Amino acid sequence: MFNILSYLIFLVISFYITIDVGRRCFNAGKVYLEYLIKDKDFCLTVNKILLKSYYLVNLGYIAINLSFWNKISTLEELINTVSSHIGIIVLILCALHFINITMLYVLRK
């Protein structure tokens, strides 16, 4: 019972974080990409590709992550497991964002 509840909580929170961060990066990234690349059509294409690949990587990681969970038998384990896995996803999102910005900056130079 706790496993199903933890899966549902984890999926709802991680999907929300993934979609919200993706939309925010997509909207804020337009200005940054237009600064780096002067062609607006090309910037929009690159931004869309980055958004789609971002969604695929994160949703794939979320799906794989669920298969490695142990059996959860108490409420304390549920909170601990869900929070640690959400924390890992947030750290991965930060790393991906930083790598994307760094690579775009390096490629611009």
Side-chain angles (χ1 to χ4, degrees), residues 22-23 26 46-56:
R23 285 183 185 161
F26 179 78
V46 168
N47 206 11
K48 286 180 181 179
I49 291 171
L50 286 172
L51 181 65
K52 300 280 191 286
S53 60
Y54 164 82
Y55 284 153
L56 289 174

Side-chain angles (χ1 to χ4, degrees), residues 18-34 40-55 97 100:
T18 299
I19 291 170
D20 187 53
V21 169
R23 285 183 185 161
R24 289 175 191 259
C25 290
F26 179 78
N27 292 329
K30 289 176 189 175
V31 175
Y32 185 70
L33 282 174
E34 287 176 2
K40 287 191 179 203
D41 291 333
F42 185 64
C43 289
L44 183 61
T45 303
V46 168
N47 206 11
K48 286 180 181 179
I49 291 171
L50 286 172
L51 181 65
K52 300 280 191 286
S53 60
Y54 164 82
Y55 284 153
H97 182 66
N100 279 341

Side-chain angles (χ1 to χ4, degrees), residues 43-90:
C43 289
L44 183 61
T45 303
V46 168
N47 206 11
K48 286 180 181 179
I49 291 171
L50 286 172
L51 181 65
K52 300 280 191 286
S53 60
Y54 164 82
Y55 284 153
L56 289 174
V57 166
N58 284 297
L59 296 178
Y61 176 75
I62 290 167
I64 290 172
N65 192 346
L66 288 175
S67 66
F68 292 108
W69 285 24
N70 296 327
K71 182 165 174 47
I72 299 171
S73 56
T74 65
L75 185 62
E76 182 181 351
E77 288 177 357
L78 183 144
I79 294 170
N80 187 24
T81 302
V82 170
S83 63
S84 64
H85 286 281
I86 292 292
I88 291 170
I89 286 177
V90 170

